Amino acid sequence: MCGSSLQTRSELGDMLALADRVKAGDVRAVSRVITLLESQNQDGVAMLRLLVSGQRRAAVIGITGYPGAGKSTMVARLVAAYRRLGLKVGVLAVDISSPVTGGALLGDRIRMQEHTLDHGVYIRSMATRGYQGGLAHATSGATLVLEAAGYEVILIETIGVGQNEVDVVDVAHTVVAVVAPGLGDEVQAMKAGLLELAHIVVVNKGDLAGADSTLRDLQDWYPTVLRTIATTGEGIPELVAAIAAHQRLGDLQGSSACLMRKGAGF
Ligand SMILES: Nc1nc2c(ncn2[C@@H]2O[C@H](COP(=O)(O)OP(=O)(O)OP(=O)(O)O)[C@@H](O)[C@H]2O)c(=O)[nH]1
Ligand SMILES: [Mg+2]
């Protein structure tokens, strides 16, 4: 009895110490808690209780869209843009290897490489396999962990339109749907899907033939449609500004003020 309560007390001490490390921004502690959440360990849920302050401080931005549309390339550009503003950035890449691009994980790693030595950037991929059903919870939990660790912008990359169980709309304050020209029927299908829930629509690969007509087509349907070339960075400042404007709107309704405080709205 005495032994078990001692053990419980020491476990509690460990939990409190881990929570303190997360709050101090220790990336190993952050990774450990996210792993607990992914494996649906009850300690993970207990940790969230210790970490959540009840006050939203981070701007959570979902980057979603069809496989191969350029989401990861765009995320890497956004990371660079927010780092230039001096913001700490967390990236959660959910369901990262799509069937279309196959080795996307490797590609993502290469694109993200320039940021991996930057202490102001935390990058984590969250695989769907093996954690069906628990992933949505783990993703929203992971954003809370990153927020507690002082990350001011959290970017979540996910393939949208009902292709996985993560409902990015529930987790992110601002959802950016990424479309590439020439998707044709797929763009039509998106109109009825996540695109309707997106706050900002981006036609990426603006350098490719068909970008103009895709842009015009979507502009008939959505108020904020931007054109980007993620590979060169063209259109990224405009996207950053559009996200800030949306966050400001959200803030008026009681959401995050982070980007505006830091001047990301220019
Ligand atoms: N021409 C052109 N190619 C681009 C652009 N943006 C990304 N790409 C290329 O498109 C391919 C897919 O880019 P990713 O960033 O991996 O796309 P993704 O949407 O993250 O892909 P998944 O995670 O597999 O769904 C890569 O070869 C990129 O270099 C762009 O603006 N123009
Ligand atoms: Mg990707």
Side-chain angles (χ1 to χ4, degrees), residues 71-72 96 104 108 111 157:
K71 300 180 295 296
S72 299
I96 197 163
D108 283 315
R111 265 186 293 282
E157 176 187 341

Side-chain angles (χ1 to χ4, degrees), residues 7-250:
Q7 190 186 9
T8 308
R9 218 178 297 159
S10 89
E11 277 173 8
L12 184 64
D14 288 350
M15 297 273 284
L16 290 170
L18 185 58
D20 283 345
R21 282 173 56 203
V22 169
K23 287 179 193 164
D26 178 335
V27 290
R28 282 224 198 137
V30 167
S31 295
R32 202 164 139 211
V33 177
I34 294 177
T35 301
L36 288 174
L37 291 169
E38 278 188 323
S39 56
Q40 299 184 41
N41 186 306
Q42 62 183 24
D43 286 351
V45 180
M47 281 303 298
L48 281 187
R49 279 194 215 107
L50 292 175
L51 291 172
V52 171
S53 67
Q55 201 190 2
R56 288 226 77 105
R57 285 161 297 175
V60 184
I61 302 157
I63 306 292
T64 189
Y66 267 86
K71 300 180 295 296
S72 299
T73 315
M74 190 171 292
V75 165
R77 289 279 173 195
L78 288 172
V79 169
Y82 291 125
R83 287 302 293 143
R84 276 197 292 274
L85 292 165
L87 295 161
K88 272 184 86 178
V89 186
V91 178
L92 299 173
V94 182
D95 201 8
I96 197 163
S97 53
S98 71
V100 170
T101 53
L105 183 57
L106 183 64
D108 283 315
R109 287 237 169 101
I110 290 166
R111 265 186 293 282
M112 292 288 178
Q113 223 161 37
E114 62 173 297
H115 300 301
T116 52
L117 294 176
D118 179 349
H119 293 303
V121 181
Y122 176 89
I123 299 168
R124 167 94 179 203
S125 42
M126 302 182 79
T128 46
R129 279 181 210 91
Y131 302 117
Q132 298 283 331
L135 188 67
H137 173 73
T139 307
S140 66
T143 64
L144 296 173
V145 175
L146 290 175
E147 193 168 40
Y151 291 90
E152 296 159 301
V153 179
I154 301 165
L155 297 163
I156 304 173
E157 176 187 341
T158 178
I159 297 168
V161 212
Q163 292 185 3
N164 61 27
E165 66 272 44
V166 177
D167 201 345
V168 74
V169 176
D170 287 341
V171 181
H173 310 139
T174 303
V175 176
V176 178
V178 186
V179 173
L183 282 173
D185 289 349
E186 286 178 347
V187 170
Q188 299 306 320
M190 280 181 94
K191 280 180 181 170
L194 187 92
L195 217 54
E196 283 184 355
L197 298 172
H199 304 109
I200 298 164
V201 175
V202 173
V203 178
N204 187 45
K205 306 199 182 183
D207 53 319
L208 297 189
D212 285 337
S213 65
T214 305
L215 199 71
R216 274 195 305 272
D217 184 17
L218 290 168
Q219 276 166 343
D220 289 341
W221 287 71
Y222 298 100
T224 312
V225 186
L226 305 174
R227 175 199 187 111
T228 59
I229 305 174
T231 39
T232 65
E234 208 177 306
I236 298 299
E238 289 80 358
L239 176 57
V240 169
I243 291 169
H246 181 261
Q247 294 273 322
R248 186 172 30 196
L249 202 69

